[in-house]
Amino acid sequence: MKLAQVRDGAGVAVAIRENGGYRLLEGASMNALLAVADASGASLADVAAEAASDGWRDDVDLLLPLEPAEVWACGCTYAPSADFRDGELGTRDGMYSYVHKPENRPEIFFKGTSRVCVGSGERIGIRSDSSFTAPEPELGVVIGASGAILAYTLGNDVSAWDIERENALYLPQSKVYDACCSLGPVLVTPDELPDPYSLQMSCQITRDGRVTFSGSVSTSKLRRTFEELVDHLTRSNQVPTPTVVLTGTGIIVEQESALRPGDVCTISVPQIGTLSNPAALV
């Protein structure tokens, strides 16, 4: 099942994407549905189906698909990310390759709350003090306080790479700022993605209609399982419902393709949809 938050008059509604349109749910927010699913152990698809109404929309304005209480992100889960970062430092088997090895702890950092998140079509932020802000296309896992995986979505872990490159201790400033995270366009329930490790993800940046960057990766290249990442995140750290875990990027945008105001970044996975955002200075 694909679930979206959509504009409904002056308010927000949850809708099921089906048969080319959207079936509205009665009196439910996405966060409330996720909370019920996590607390009851029922699937999100079943919880949503019970709330479905006869209300139908052929066309809707898609919004941020949920209001995450927390967003966490993982680094160096794909080899290109670890190799590129160590290469910038002129090292082999450096600190980034270290966390890429499955016998070691993964890199997990706090990305923010819903305050820094935008949905598809909204502007992602370019830090005003950065000359190398870039998208990081990622598969997002939505979890509850129980640690259960409730849904999947697409995420863009927008990052000021030059700030992290200057000093690794600047990672929070590289990662956390206004509009640094986009999510969407929908949530997809696990029953609709029987093998989330076989998804083909693509990313494209366009400027005035011209492609400045294009890349792709399969989630089969992930070095960590989602369950492993969630396990490390929730050790002595019970997260609230809903929390989004961005599972790392395998698509590396180099400095010559750094985001500029007006660029449009488009991330796609056929089984989930397309997350597209223009970029702007913040």
Side-chain angles (χ1 to χ4, degrees), residues 69-74 105-112 141-149 224-247:
E70 295 179 1
V71 179
W72 294 80
C74 305
R105 284 178 180 266
E107 179 191 13
I108 303 176
F109 55 88
F110 186 62
K111 182 68 178 175
V141 175
V142 182
I143 66 172
S146 68
I149 295 174
R224 309 273 186 172
T225 67
F226 306 134
E227 290 78 9
E228 178 186 4
L229 295 172
V230 171
D231 173 66
H232 279 277
L233 171 62
T234 55
R235 292 181 184 180
S236 301
N237 178 41
Q238 184 175 6
V239 298
T241 305
T243 287
V244 175
V245 182
L246 300 178
T247 57

Side-chain angles (χ1 to χ4, degrees), residues 135-222:
E136 294 190 21
E138 310 193 13
L139 185 65
V141 175
V142 182
I143 66 172
S146 68
I149 295 174
L150 306 174
Y152 298 94
T153 192
L154 298 181
N156 191 344
D157 171 22
V158 191
S159 305
W161 281 35
D162 53 331
I163 293 176
E164 182 186 355
R165 178 190 289 168
E166 182 180 349
N167 191 303
L169 294 179
Y170 294 159
L171 179 69
Q173 295 173 74
S174 166
K175 293 288 189 178
V176 185
Y177 57 93
D178 294 343
C180 67
C181 179
S182 64
L183 299 170
V186 297
L187 301 189
V188 179
T189 55
D191 58 289
E192 194 156 321
L193 291 179
D195 185 5
Y197 300 102
S198 64
L199 305 177
Q200 191 69 25
M201 181 180 296
S202 63
C203 176
Q204 189 174 87
I205 301 173
T206 57
R207 181 176 300 151
D208 299 323
R210 178 177 59 88
V211 176
T212 61
F213 173 83
S214 182
S216 64
V217 73
S218 170
T219 55
S220 65
K221 302 298 184 182
L222 269 165

Side-chain angles (χ1 to χ4, degrees), residues 6-18:
V6 304
R7 198 171 306 283
D8 184 31
V12 177
V14 178
I16 300 171
R17 169 74 172 171
E18 60 183 13

